[in-house]
Every structure is written in structure tokens, then in C-alpha cells.
């Protein structure tokens, strides 16, 4: 074997090892449909609270989850790899996969059967994908397709983002662009005149506490579902304003 062939074989094996290390969960069965939106993404504000998904960096690769998977909002921000399987008519040839971020809740419709329109009824596992993401694995003419899915680590550009909202004595922050696990399970905030204060999940990835942080620089401690904690000091300056977004550190894979 020549030097060039040996190098190519090494690179292929190295890439395969990285994929195995990154995608370490078994494939599970579910179904998928797509939201018939105009821009190919779920751009309206959904149950995770991200608002415009392009500004939130999730763009056109997003999905809403059925009750079984959404877990009352704790799944917001998580990443799933999905591929269409077992349908020669609707699946894209070769069963390619696509990675989506959880940005919304697919509400149940108990007036319909789980097999005829009630795709998101409990206990069914279902993904309502953005049209763009769905088109990468199946033909858009399909109503519903069988899929396989698994959790994967989220690859993000830039740091974790903190968007300020609330009022003088009700402080709320939306946390987005979270790498690795994607799911935030605990948040603490610290002002220049306070210690570390635990925040409660309000809805989706909006976290709140009843403290007045006006005219204080803010630091954040974020814990993701895998147990890692990231601390970003003085992310927001003392003169922060409601509606502003600030960027902190990012979770790194070890």
C-alpha cells in the first residue's frame, strides 16, 4: 500500500472514530412530519421561547416534539439526528440523516387517532420538523414517514447567549445557543451586590427569579443535562437593558 493510500485510510478511520464518539446513542423508532411554513423553518415563537430561530442561531434545522419527548420543555435546545427509514416511496435514497434542534412543542390532538392525524398524541414519539430539514431526509409530498432518531451533541458557533427580559423585581433570561447537551437543567445568576441566586424555569428555556438586578453587572452559572456547569462572569454590564442579548462562554467537549 502506497503512502497516499495509507494516508487516506487513516483519515477515513479517524473520521469514523469521531462519528462513533460523537453519536454514542442507539437509534430509536419514531415518526416525522413537517410544518408547512413559508420560509422552511419554524420561525414563529414556539414553546421553547426562542422567538426568531434565525436570530437564535437554530435557523432552518429545527423541530417540535410530541409530549413523550418534549418533557415539559426540558428538551428545549437538545439536538437529534433523524433519518427516514423503511419507506421506499418517500425516504430519500440512501437514508441520509439530518440534525435538528428542539425549538417547539407538537401539541396533541386527541380528537384524532394516533394513526390518522393525532401524530403527537401521548405516548407517540413524533417530530414535527421544519420543511427544510424534512426535505433532507424525505420527499415533501409525504404526510408522515417512519424515522429513526438519536441524541447527538450540539455544535454551536460562538458562546451561550443570554437575552434579558422581565421587570424591576421580576428578572427573566432566555438562554440559547447552548453547545454539547443543549438542554439546560439549572441556572444561577449573580449581581455585583448579591451572591449566587438559583433561578426557576418559567417556560421553555426562560428562567426567572424575583430579584432587582438593575445597575448591576450579571454573571451566570449554567448546568446542562450531562452534569457540566459553565460559569460566565460579568456577561452583562451594569447598564444592561431589557431585550438585549449578551454572549458568554461555550461548553467544550473533553
Amino acid at each position: 500500500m502506497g503512502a497516499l493510500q495509507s494516508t487516506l485510510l487513516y483519515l477515513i478511520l479517524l473520521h469514523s472514530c469521531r462519528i462513533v464518539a460523537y453519536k454514542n446513542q442507539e437509534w430509536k423508532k419514531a415518526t416525522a412530519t413537517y410544518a408547512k411554513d413559508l420560509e422552511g423553518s419554524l420561525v414563529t415563537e414556539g414553546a421553547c421561547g426562542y422567538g426568531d430561530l434565525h436570530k437564535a442561531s437554530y435557523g432552518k434545522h429545527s423541530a417540535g416534539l410530541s409530549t413523550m419527548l418534549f418533557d415539559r420543555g426540558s428538551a428545549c435546545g437538545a439536538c437529534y439526528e433523524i433519518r427516514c427509514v423503511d419507506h421506499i416511496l418517500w425516504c430519500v435514497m440512501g437514508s441520509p440523516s439530518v440534525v435538528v434542534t428542539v425549538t417547539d412543542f407538537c401539541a396533541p390532538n386527541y380528537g384524532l387517532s394516533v394513526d390518522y392525524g393525532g401524530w403527537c398524541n401521548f405516548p407517540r414519539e413524533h417530530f414535527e420538523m421544519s420543511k427544510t430539514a424534512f426535505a433532507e431526509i424525505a420527499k415533501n409530498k409525504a404526510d408522515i414517514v417512519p424515522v429513526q432518531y438519536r441524541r447527538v451533541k450540539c455544535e454551536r458557533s460562538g458562546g451561550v447567549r443570554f437575552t434579558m427580559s422581565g421587570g424591576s423585581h421580576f428578572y427573566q433570561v432566555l438562554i440559547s445557543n447552548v453547545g454539547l447537551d443543549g438542554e439546560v437543567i439549572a441556572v444561577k445568576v449573580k449581581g455585583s451586590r448579591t451572591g449566587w441566586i438559583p433561578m426557576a424555569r418559567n417556560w421553555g428555556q426562560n428562567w426567572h427569579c424575583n430579584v432587582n438586578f438593575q445597575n448591576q453587572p450579571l454573571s451566570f452559572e449554567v448546568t446542562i443535562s450531562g452534569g457540566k456547569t459553565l460559569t460566565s462572569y460579568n456577561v452583562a454590564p451594569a447598564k444592561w437593558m431589557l431585550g438585549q442579548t449578551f454572549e458568554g462562554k461555550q461548553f467544550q467537549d473533553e
Side-chain angles (χ1 to χ4, degrees):
M1 182 181 293
L4 179 59
Q5 289 86 348
S6 298
T7 301
L8 289 174
L9 178 60
Y10 170 77
L11 291 174
I12 292 172
L13 290 174
L14 179 62
H15 180 66
S16 299
C17 290
R18 285 178 177 173
I19 290 176
V20 171
Y22 184 73
K23 304 169 183 176
N24 56 0
Q25 289 206 356
E26 296 295 324
W27 291 100
K28 299 177 182 179
K29 292 182 178 180
T31 53
T33 51
Y34 69 90
K36 297 177 175 62
D37 53 274
L38 298 178
E39 297 185 31
S41 59
L42 304 172
V43 296
T44 56
E45 185 168 338
C48 291
Y50 295 125
D52 187 325
L53 298 185
H54 299 295
K55 292 181 180 178
S57 78
Y58 302 137
K60 297 186 176 183
H61 291 82
S62 53
L65 302 189
S66 61
T67 304
M68 190 71 177
L69 295 172
F70 191 65
D71 195 17
R72 297 183 179 180
S74 65
C76 289
C79 294
Y80 286 89
E81 182 183 17
I82 305 172
R83 64 186 182 188
C84 181
V85 294
D86 302 329
H87 205 303
I88 193 171
L89 180 61
W90 299 127
C91 293
V92 172
M93 186 176 297
S95 292
S97 64
V98 64
V99 175
V100 297
T101 298
V102 179
T103 60
D104 203 359
F105 172 55
C106 182
N109 183 349
Y110 293 114
L112 298 174
S113 164
V114 294
D115 296 318
Y116 297 97
W119 315 129
C120 294
N121 292 355
F122 186 86
R124 188 164 189 150
E125 297 186 350
H126 183 81
F127 294 83
E128 185 179 51
M129 303 170 65
S130 62
K131 187 175 181 179
T132 297
F134 187 86
E136 294 188 23
I137 64 169
K139 298 176 183 178
N140 284 337
K141 292 181 180 180
D143 285 331
I144 182 170
V145 295
V147 298
Q148 291 179 336
Y149 74 93
R150 59 183 174 183
R151 279 287 304 275
V152 295
K153 296 175 184 177
C154 300
E155 295 184 354
R156 305 296 186 210
S157 176
V160 175
R161 295 173 188 165
F162 303 89
T163 302
M164 312 298 173
S165 64
S168 59
H169 291 280
F170 177 81
Y171 175 73
Q172 182 169 274
V173 61
L174 168 65
I175 300 177
S176 61
N177 202 49
V178 180
L180 293 187
D181 301 329
E183 295 177 325
V184 177
I185 62 170
V187 180
K188 292 181 180 179
V189 59
K190 181 182 183 302
S192 57
R193 299 191 296 272
T194 73
W196 285 103
I197 299 173
M199 304 187 77
R201 187 192 302 274
N202 191 345
W203 60 283
Q205 285 299 354
N206 284 284
W207 297 76
H208 76 278
C209 61
N210 296 319
V211 179
N212 187 348
F213 286 114
Q214 288 182 340
N215 300 314
Q216 298 182 59
L218 301 179
S219 303
F220 295 93
E221 183 181 282
V222 178
T223 302
I224 53 178
S225 57
K228 288 188 175 183
T229 296
L230 179 72
T231 304
S232 297
Y233 291 100
N234 299 319
V235 172
K239 297 299 182 180
W240 60 267
M241 299 177 64
L242 299 179
Q244 288 183 311
T245 298
F246 302 96
E247 191 169 295
K249 297 180 180 178
Q250 183 58 271
F251 289 93
Q252 300 295 328
D253 202 0
E254 296 179 353

